[in-house]
Amino acid sequence: MLFEADRVSYSYPGQAALRNLTLAIPEGTRIALLGANGSGKSTLLRLLDGLYFPDSGAIRFRDAALSEERFADDTFAYDFRRQVGMVFQNPDVQLFNPTVFDEIAFGPLQLRWKKSEVRDRVAEILDRLRISHLRDRIPHRLSGGEKKRVALASVLVLDPAVLLLDEPTSALDPRSQSQLIDLLVEWGGGAKTVITATHDLGDLEDIADRCYVLDTGQLVAERTPSEVLQDKDLLRRTNLVHAHRHRHAGEMHSHPHIHGDDT
């Protein structure tokens, strides 16, 4: 098993984010972590990325517990960071270099790649994400959508086995959203593991083979995308849809309305 969460709980000061959560993620799968804002899906991503550690319970990656002690071992940390990459919902938290080229090259240089290999790989990723024209731009002066692409490029350049994505289509226009979904579907020939935290159901069947639905820090359902989309009661209970009311022929009616990519 790639990832296992065993009775994991995690709290912020005064607020429980995850409560006794247990789940398993097989290698080579595309997983959607579904939930409304505050459901715990972003916190779970950070635990899977070894940025946070459980208050109780355990997170394991290929049978190795992810703990502060394990990450103190440089060999383990190096190997894990080479295999697992994360793109945050807000790209500003991970963009800090003077140019886009430097931003994308930073990870490979930290992993001691040869400079010629870094240049070739960065050029390839810039072209693949259609951002070659941004090569010498300053990241913090880019638009929100451009920043999102650069943040993604800074992770994909390492060709990780596992990609963790937090609301990847937020801040993107519809065309860019479609291009990003196509890239993720094609990435790694479908052999990679992609775990996406989202509350947007519009592209669910394109980005996921399996869905884990979270509500107030607990796992409440594990189903296929089509099963989730057909279960309107589940979607209402977890605030992934809301009742849209309108007046017709003098009478008030309501029907489920699926959330778009609003936050």
Side-chain angles (χ1 to χ4, degrees):
M1 193 61 62
L2 182 67
F3 282 110
E4 293 175 280
D6 182 15
R7 294 169 292 179
V8 167
S9 294
Y10 184 87
S11 295
Y12 300 101
Q15 179 185 2
L18 296 175
R19 297 183 291 167
N20 202 37
L21 183 143
T22 295
L23 57 78
I25 298 175
E27 191 148 7
T29 54
R30 298 183 305 156
I31 300 294
L33 303 177
L34 291 176
N37 291 336
S39 63
K41 59 188 188 296
S42 293
T43 300
L44 178 55
L45 276 189
R46 285 160 173 74
L47 286 161
L48 296 177
D49 196 40
L51 299 176
Y52 296 171
F53 302 101
D55 295 331
S56 62
I59 296 279
R60 288 187 290 273
F61 175 72
R62 295 185 174 142
D63 295 326
L66 300 183
S67 65
E68 291 183 81
E69 292 76 19
R70 290 307 302 271
F71 279 95
D73 178 349
D74 289 342
T75 300
F76 177 84
Y78 178 97
D79 184 59
F80 182 85
R81 297 300 175 202
R82 178 65 182 83
Q83 295 184 68
V84 180
M86 180 168 172
V87 180
F88 293 84
Q89 179 177 4
N90 179 4
D92 285 323
V93 305
Q94 65 187 104
L95 301 178
F96 53 88
N97 281 283
T99 70
V100 167
F101 178 89
D102 294 327
E103 195 69 61
I104 300 171
F106 181 81
L109 290 172
Q110 293 301 302
L111 295 178
R112 305 181 188 91
W113 290 18
K114 294 180 180 179
K115 290 186 177 180
S116 59
E117 184 180 1
V118 172
R119 285 194 295 269
D120 291 345
R121 181 65 177 158
V122 171
E124 177 187 342
I125 291 297
L126 285 168
D127 182 63
R128 190 172 180 184
L129 270 68
R130 300 182 175 90
I131 54 173
S132 295
H133 61 292
L134 303 177
R135 184 184 188 279
D136 299 316
R137 295 276 300 278
I138 300 172
H140 76 260
R141 292 184 179 174
L142 301 176
S143 69
E146 289 170 338
K147 289 178 180 178
K148 180 78 75 171
R149 285 172 174 267
V150 173
L152 180 61
S154 71
V155 173
L156 289 185
V157 70
L158 297 173
D159 193 28
V162 183
L163 189 59
L164 308 175
L165 303 169
D166 195 358
E167 302 289 356
T169 58
S170 66
L172 295 181
D173 59 65
R175 180 181 179 185
S176 296
Q177 288 183 21
S178 178
Q179 291 173 345
L180 176 59
I181 295 301
D182 289 343
L183 173 67
L184 296 178
V185 170
E186 297 168 359
W187 181 63
K192 306 280 189 173
T193 303
V194 182
I195 303 172
T196 307
T198 185
H199 63 263
D200 183 6
L201 305 179
D203 297 305
L204 190 58
E205 291 181 292
D206 293 323
I207 66 171
D209 307 312
R210 198 77 182 164
C211 302
Y212 297 91
V213 185
L214 277 65
D215 186 36
T216 61
Q218 296 179 302
L219 179 65
V220 296
E222 178 187 346
R223 300 182 187 170
T224 66
S226 61
E227 288 170 340
V228 167
L229 293 172
Q230 291 169 19
D231 192 337
K232 296 298 188 278
D233 181 61
L234 171 66
L235 296 176
R236 277 192 292 265
R237 284 189 288 110
T238 55
N239 293 313
L240 287 167
V241 298
H242 63 266
H244 175 68
R245 293 177 175 82
H246 63 97
R247 188 175 295 278
H248 178 67
E251 297 183 3
M252 188 65 73
H253 300 270
S254 67
H255 58 81
H257 175 71
I258 293 177
H259 286 292
D261 196 25
D262 54 329
T263 55

